[in-house]
Amino acid sequence: MEILAFGVQADEQPLIERAFAGRAEVRCLDVFLNADTAPVAAGHEIVSTSVNADLGAGVLEILGAGGTRMVAQRSTGFNNVDLETAERLGLTVARVSSYSPYSVAEFAWALAMAVNRRIVRASNRTRDFDFRLDGLMGRDLHGRTAGVLGTGRIGEAFARIAHGFGMRLLGWDVTENPACLDLGMRYVAKEELLADSDLITLHVPLMPETRHLIDARALKAMRDDAILVNSSRGGLVDTAALVGELRAGRFTGVGLDVYEAEAGLFFLDKSLTAVEDDTLARLVTFPNVLVTSHQAYYTVDAVGQIVDATVKNVQDYRAGRRSENVLVPRS
């Protein structure tokens, strides 16, 4: 049996091939799964996909007609999957329910520090041998307040970093995390967290209830000199509203590793083509905004755990076993 893996990055491929060695044949493709590429999967019972794969009804129909019976997604989020269609077609769908929380938390902190201390601007200047300090003044984060929206494993890891820097901690979640309480975190309403935090970081999943969690109203509730970081899912932030606030000169910095319309852009080289997304094109022009291409998870530790979990998901499927990673069970 050959497993077809879509959207495989060059750094990821040897990890995948090594993990499946002796267990199954795997063919890695650098193209992402969508309606145009789905026919390539014909004859493959198992397909593995990346975070930005299109697993909507149309793509699943193509996969099912071609003989695919399992989709093993190499990511935690599954807002891109039409689970009802998968169940109707008898497709087993599995995800990676968890991996190193430190990869994302550390990267979120790196974004916060980079925009606070103007690292990108400073680096660009020194490349031109411009060593002035004008416009590079940041702030101590020690003694200031970090607001953590979503205090699961990643939110907790971020809170530990912020606590180590001597920050006060505010949290918002449906369930309080005892480990965060032990750090001195105080759980408050979202509105209070937005109004009282110097640094706001998002670590909640994207669901209908959380889409545009940071909307125009939430943005206006934030301090003018706040720092906003999103390393979770792009749809949590109303980007058009964010651009409006940035045009008004608000916020010390914004660090975004995700973007709500990133599919078809992120993980691809668009440097020689015109980007038609006017919102993104405007967003990256602001000097206090840093956009990266959904790389927070991209450490050898996290990717290794993702690949290992994917291998286990495939083994469980072939053995008829179920686990916490299965979103749609084998029919």
Side-chain angles (χ1 to χ4, degrees):
M1 177 188 295
E2 182 183 69
I3 299 166
L4 191 62
F6 285 91
V8 177
Q9 304 296 315
D11 297 331
E12 183 185 17
Q13 183 168 341
L15 298 177
I16 291 177
E17 292 174 343
R18 188 159 55 245
F20 275 104
R23 297 184 173 95
E25 295 294 322
V26 60
R27 181 156 65 101
C28 296
L29 304 178
D30 60 1
V31 297
F32 296 95
L33 179 63
N34 54 41
D36 294 329
T37 60
V40 178
H44 291 84
E45 181 180 348
I46 301 174
V47 166
S48 178
T49 60
S50 58
V51 63
N52 275 338
D54 177 358
L55 289 167
V59 172
L60 292 176
E61 293 277 3
I62 296 172
L63 292 178
T68 297
R69 290 295 172 262
M70 185 209 186
V71 176
Q73 177 143 287
R74 303 187 308 279
S75 69
T76 299
F78 53 93
N79 54 286
N80 60 322
V81 186
D82 187 327
L83 297 178
E84 291 184 2
T85 297
E87 186 172 11
R88 174 173 59 80
L89 294 172
L91 292 173
T92 298
V93 179
R95 63 163 179 159
V96 176
S97 58
S98 65
Y99 54 87
S100 168
Y102 310 108
S103 60
V104 179
E106 290 172 4
F107 193 85
W109 188 258
L111 287 175
M113 294 296 290
V115 296
N116 178 42
R117 300 307 300 268
R118 323 296 189 190
I119 300 297
V120 175
R121 183 187 296 182
S123 177
N124 289 338
R125 282 187 185 177
T126 55
R127 285 177 180 271
D128 293 329
F129 297 98
D130 178 353
F131 300 106
R132 293 172 301 158
L133 296 182
D134 296 344
L136 301 183
M137 185 174 288
R139 298 181 296 175
D140 288 2
L141 291 178
H142 177 87
R144 287 188 161 85
T145 300
V148 184
L149 291 159
T151 58
R153 296 174 70 241
I154 298 174
E156 176 191 331
F158 186 94
R160 291 187 183 280
I161 297 171
H163 180 262
F165 270 70
M167 298 190 76
R168 294 184 293 269
L169 299 174
L170 297 180
W172 176 85
D173 208 327
V174 292
T175 304
E176 296 184 356
N177 183 335
C180 291
L181 291 172
D182 289 343
L183 294 173
M185 176 177 285
R186 185 166 62 90
Y187 281 84
V188 296
K190 184 181 76 170
E191 293 73 20
E192 182 178 347
L193 183 149
L194 295 173
D196 292 348
S197 296
D198 300 286
L199 165 60
I200 296 165
T201 182
L202 310 181
H203 301 292
V204 299
L206 179 60
M207 303 179 291
E209 312 89 84
T210 59
R211 181 165 187 80
H212 286 180
L213 180 71
I214 304 299
D215 56 11
R217 182 177 178 181
L219 290 164
K220 293 201 178 290
M222 292 167 54
R223 296 177 176 178
D224 288 345
D225 61 354
I227 294 171
L228 173 65
V229 174
N230 184 12
S231 58
S232 183
R233 287 292 184 268
L236 298 175
V237 177
D238 183 340
T239 316
L242 175 60
V243 167
E245 296 301 312
L246 289 165
R247 290 182 63 185
R250 301 189 66 221
F251 307 136
T252 288
V254 175
L256 304 175
D257 185 52
V258 287
Y259 173 60
E260 58 182 326
E262 68 183 53
L265 290 173
F266 282 21
F267 306 139
L268 300 172
D269 181 2
K270 295 290 184 177
S271 60
L272 299 179
T273 59
V275 175
E276 299 178 357
D277 189 323
D278 291 338
T279 302
L280 178 60
R282 184 70 180 92
L283 187 64
V284 298
T285 65
F286 292 104
N288 57 335
V289 173
L290 175 56
V291 178
T292 53
S293 54
H294 206 140
Q295 69 181 82
Y297 78 99
Y298 207 54
T299 68
V300 65
D301 310 272
V303 173
Q305 292 168 18
I306 290 169
V307 170
D308 289 344
T310 302
V311 171
K312 183 178 183 302
N313 288 341
V314 169
Q315 292 176 319
D316 286 346
Y317 162 79
R318 295 173 72 175
R321 297 188 296 263
R322 289 192 61 177
S323 73
E324 72 280 0
N325 289 341
V326 176
L327 299 170
V328 180
R330 185 173 186 172
S331 58

